């Protein structure tokens, strides 16, 4: 199988005045990666100012669409292996324990 190119653009919810912070730590924003089943890419997210699972979960969005995947326990790592060539915008948002997406911080 041919290797597929994946370009990731990560959205981070940045902290302001002591608010919680969600940061993509790898890969770097706008990275161009070669991905296949034998070489998946790991997207790593760090969160400050929230305690999981007590404070809820992280919801993942790819190209503006909710994947319905929720991460509720660190370490927060997503693996991509079976994707088409293209540009992918990945975002993570905080969802409270009731499943309601919180405002961006």
């Amino acid at each position: 199988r041919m290797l597929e190119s994946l370009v990731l653009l990560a959205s981070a919810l940045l902290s302001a005045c002591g608010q919680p912070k969600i940061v993509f730590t790898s890969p770097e924003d706008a990275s161009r990666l070669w991905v296949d089943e034998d070489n998946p890419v790991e997207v790593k997210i760090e969160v400050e100012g929230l305690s999981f699972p007590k404070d809820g979960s992280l919801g993942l969005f790819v190209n503006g669409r909710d994947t319905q995947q929720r991460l509720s326990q660190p370490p927060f790592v997503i693996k991509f292996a079976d994707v088409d060539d293209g540009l992918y915008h990945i975002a993570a948002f905080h969802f409270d324990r009731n499943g309601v997406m919180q405002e961006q911080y």
Side-chain angles (χ1 to χ4, degrees):
R1 183 168 184 236
M2 217 170 134
L3 293 177
E4 296 174 337
S5 160
L6 171 70
V7 177
L8 297 176
L9 299 175
S11 286
L13 306 178
L14 302 176
S15 75
C17 302
Q19 292 287 337
K21 178 168 65 171
I22 300 172
V23 177
F24 286 80
T25 58
S26 78
E28 291 182 22
D29 197 18
S31 295
R32 184 180 181 102
L33 308 163
W34 298 100
V35 180
D36 67 14
E37 292 173 5
D38 297 325
N39 187 35
V41 64
E42 287 189 349
V43 177
K44 297 178 183 175
I45 304 167
E46 289 185 9
V47 180
E48 295 176 9
L50 294 169
S51 178
F52 292 94
K54 180 179 76 76
D55 289 330
S57 62
L58 292 181
L60 302 175
F61 289 70
V62 176
N63 293 342
R65 292 190 165 166
D66 189 350
T67 65
Q68 300 298 315
Q69 183 177 4
R70 301 294 184 256
L71 302 172
S72 60
Q73 198 73 336
F76 300 112
V77 178
I78 313 133
K79 289 186 179 184
F80 287 89
D82 189 21
V83 295
D84 294 328
D85 284 349
L87 182 65
Y88 292 85
H89 179 264
I90 300 172
F93 294 92
H94 172 224
F95 284 77
D96 68 16
R97 291 188 326 201
N98 295 318
V100 177
M101 186 167 63
Q102 300 302 294
E103 292 183 35
Q104 291 190 7
Y105 304 113

